[in-house]
Amino acid sequence: MNEVLLRSLTPSVLGILVRRGADFAAAEDAVQDALVEAVRVWPADPPRDPKGWLITVAWRRFLDASRADAARRRREDLVDEEPAPGPAPAVDDTLQLYFLCAHPSLTPSSAVALTLRAVGGLTTRQIAQAYLVPEATMAQRISRAKRTVSGARFDRPGDVATVLRVLYLVFNEGYSGDIDLAAEAIRLTRQLAAAIDHPEAAGLLALMLLHHARRAARTAPDGSLVPLAEQDRSRWDTGLIAEGVEILQAALARDRLGEFQAQAAIAALHADAPRAEETDWVQIVEWYDELVRLTDNPIVRLNRAVAVGEADGPRAGLAALAALDDSLPRHTAVAAYLHERDGDPVTAARLYAEAARKAPNLAERDHLTRRAARLNTHQQR
């Protein structure tokens, strides 16, 4: 294959797509897809008109992507639609695309970023927030991944662990971010868990179901966030909880513990408590200790500090928090909560206001602002 020819044709093909009505970013993605296809097809079947071939394939990819994006937006509009329990339908092309993006020639972090952008539909900013890196850094990472895949052969299967990580991040963005992708992530994870014998696939599905079961109770009628301890537990979906617990128990019985199973165990302990005061925080701390051992993730350590504060008192939680980098997302919000629990409303109010300024989305910012205002009002009385 003449790589020089491909590179020389790229600008003109890109220009033609833009003139036909494609926005530049979408046209660029479509041309990159066409180049990948050319690398795969041309060695065995070179076209008579390379430029015409690239234009045709790129335009088709642009139309396919536009239709997929429109379909995704329609799904996002159905915010009240819950994932159906029970067996998954036949695997579709979406899950296959996840595996293609999880190509062995990419590092796991690059494969995740590429899949989130190309298949998951997340923006570069959202992916950067998930990875705790600047948006410019993530943009460069995605661009490098595209260049790497454009010269790769798709004759090796993608990495299951990478696909699981992508599905986890897509679910998290759909569960707490600006767009709704949670039901789609559950659908694909059902398919994956049904198709492969992998305890972590089952663990991830259980985790998603247990979290999604609380969805209806997470917001008040005015759209404001309702913390876990204050949620109306009668609104939790007991069917999803039962299914999630059953899947988790079967996975744990195989004695091949992974991080998603450990996270699901924590979610199951929350779901098992009839009231917030009856939550088994001691056992939750033990599961967080397992998670720290498995991942050594700073966000896990941050969440563990909250659990320690509940199990052993806010002073113990603040001591655990003091060992962590205060630039971690939501570190300030956790500090505010623990200081409030410790009977220091002045410090808590100040920290809630500071955390609100750092919040990644409007709902969280409003929640933290209300917390600060409530404490300030209480002090003035």
Side-chain angles (χ1 to χ4, degrees), residues 91-208:
V91 176
D92 62 18
D93 290 341
T94 307
L95 194 57
Q96 183 181 5
L97 287 174
Y98 273 72
F99 274 94
L100 287 176
C101 287
H103 195 271
S105 63
L106 295 173
T107 63
S109 60
S110 293
V112 171
L114 178 62
T115 313
L116 290 172
R117 183 72 185 92
V119 187
L122 274 64
T123 66
T124 303
R125 176 183 60 81
Q126 290 167 327
I127 301 169
Q129 289 175 348
Y131 268 90
L132 313 181
V133 300
E135 184 174 348
T137 300
M138 183 53 64
Q140 292 174 354
R141 185 179 299 178
I142 293 172
S143 294
R144 285 196 299 270
K146 286 181 179 179
R147 288 196 297 271
T148 299
V149 173
S150 69
R153 292 176 58 85
F154 291 103
D155 55 358
R156 291 181 292 168
D159 178 56
V160 172
T162 300
V163 173
L164 290 172
R165 174 65 52 189
V166 173
L167 289 168
Y168 173 70
L169 290 172
V170 169
F171 177 80
N172 279 348
E173 191 61 46
Y175 188 68
S176 61
D178 301 324
I179 56 178
D180 177 30
L181 293 167
E184 174 70 355
I186 291 174
R187 183 183 73 85
L188 293 172
T189 305
R190 281 192 189 281
Q191 291 182 358
L192 185 59
I196 64 173
D197 183 22
H198 198 300
E200 276 291 81
L204 178 58
L205 178 57
L207 174 63
M208 289 178 175

Side-chain angles (χ1 to χ4, degrees), residues 4-59:
V4 175
L5 173 62
L6 281 177
R7 286 198 296 269
S8 67
L9 290 174
T10 298
S12 61
V13 174
L14 182 59
I16 289 171
L17 263 65
V18 171
R19 288 194 294 274
R20 286 186 177 184
D23 68 81
F24 186 83
E28 186 179 35
D29 287 343
V31 172
Q32 287 294 325
D33 289 344
L35 293 175
V36 170
E37 185 69 7
V39 170
R40 187 181 70 84
V41 171
W42 285 12
D45 185 19
R48 295 180 181 177
D49 179 8
K51 181 177 178 180
W53 189 97
L54 284 172
I55 292 170
T56 299
V57 173
W59 184 247

Side-chain angles (χ1 to χ4, degrees), residues 360-380:
N361 57 65
L362 182 61
E364 190 168 334
R365 184 169 71 238
D366 287 348
H367 169 71
L368 294 167
T369 301
R370 290 179 193 219
R371 290 274 172 174
R374 177 178 55 79
L375 289 177
N376 285 326
T377 301
H378 181 74
Q379 295 171 52
Q380 293 169 3

